[in-house]
Amino acid sequence: RNMGQAPTIKDEAKRLAALSEYGIDHVLSDTGLNNLLNLAANVFNVPIVLVSLIDEQRQLLAAGLGISVCETSRDASFCAHTILRRKIMVVPDARLDSRFKDNPMVVGAPHIRFYAGIPLRTLSGYAIGTLCIIDLKPRRTLSARDEHNMQDLAALVMERLEMRRLELARNASQVRFENIANTSPDSIICVNEKGIITFWNASAE
């Protein structure tokens, strides 16, 4: 939405609201997501692959390969720069980049040198985080084929995250429905596709 420019306060509020719908505040135990990270590591021959989410103050790793930290400050995050872009951001050698040469993850562990990240966008267009690949030695920029592969992998990652968002929304809707039904004077009974009763309220009982 911002074509590489700093987001407005209103845009950032909407982006954070979109991020909150995924309900992620810790590293996910998602086999499908971890398989995608392993695939990315093999495709690009890199030791570190991350799915990072950028909230108001921090970068949270929803999934990670080759790194032990679970979160960093937003100020120290490469990915906070990536979400402001429309396309892939590539840093061939972080030591030579004025934005990152003093970054604690460059001068200290894990000693990032090469970074490539692509924004993870919701269906509404908000960049909630990134899929990124990291190497501990400098590399050249990505080829057109590499960029295509990153786009495909990012789409698959978003599919996994979207499945989680939809499941959370479904569960929340069910809870809201049951709370309303439990205070209703009308008899309410729910059955599944097999005709088995799955819910009834006090009036129905």
Side-chain angles (χ1 to χ4, degrees):
R1 289 177 180 266
N2 293 290
M3 300 300 289
Q5 300 176 0
T8 65
I9 294 174
K10 182 177 179 181
D11 283 341
E12 178 65 359
K14 290 181 178 179
R15 190 192 71 79
L16 292 172
L19 172 61
S20 69
E21 293 181 7
Y22 294 82
I24 301 172
D25 58 6
H26 58 276
V27 177
L28 299 177
S29 298
D30 185 319
T31 301
L33 201 54
N34 291 334
N35 288 342
L36 289 173
L37 266 60
N38 283 318
L39 176 61
N42 290 330
V43 167
F44 297 106
N45 191 27
V46 291
I48 300 173
V49 184
L50 307 174
V51 172
S52 68
L53 304 176
I54 307 298
D55 71 11
E56 189 172 10
Q57 300 291 338
R58 61 178 180 161
Q59 169 185 249
L60 171 69
L61 302 186
L65 175 69
I67 197 168
S68 59
V69 298
C70 297
E71 65 178 74
T72 68
S73 71
R74 183 166 176 168
D75 291 340
S77 167
F78 282 63
C79 298
H81 292 264
T82 304
I83 64 170
L84 301 178
R85 302 171 65 94
R86 299 299 289 178
K87 298 182 179 179
I88 298 169
M89 185 179 88
V90 179
V91 180
D93 188 343
R95 294 172 301 180
L96 306 179
D97 192 304
S98 60
R99 297 169 296 177
F100 305 115
K101 64 181 182 180
D102 297 322
N103 186 291
M105 293 186 290
V106 174
V107 298
H111 302 284
I112 294 173
R113 296 296 177 260
F114 173 83
Y115 168 96
I118 183 170
L120 297 173
R121 294 192 177 276
T122 66
L123 295 176
S124 55
Y126 292 104
I128 58 171
T130 71
L131 168 67
C132 65
I133 57 174
I134 294 171
D135 205 342
L136 307 184
K137 60 181 184 294
R139 296 171 66 154
R140 294 182 179 180
T141 190
L142 297 179
S143 67
R145 182 176 181 180
D146 287 337
E147 290 191 3
H148 183 74
N149 285 336
M150 280 204 76
Q151 290 166 359
D152 286 347
L153 285 164
L156 292 172
V157 167
M158 277 309 300
E159 284 184 9
R160 297 295 306 181
L161 296 182
E162 188 64 13
M163 288 172 60
R164 174 185 173 84
R165 186 186 72 81
L166 292 174
E167 180 65 16
L168 289 175
R170 186 191 69 79
N171 290 340
S173 295
Q174 180 68 19
V175 169
R176 284 197 299 270
F177 164 75
E178 292 184 3
N179 287 338
I180 293 171
N182 280 328
T183 60
S184 172
D186 297 322
S187 297
I188 299 175
I189 299 174
C190 297
V191 298
N192 64 18
E193 66 279 3
K194 297 180 180 179
I196 297 173
I197 295 175
T198 59
F199 171 83
W200 62 91
N201 66 353
S203 296
E205 187 171 308

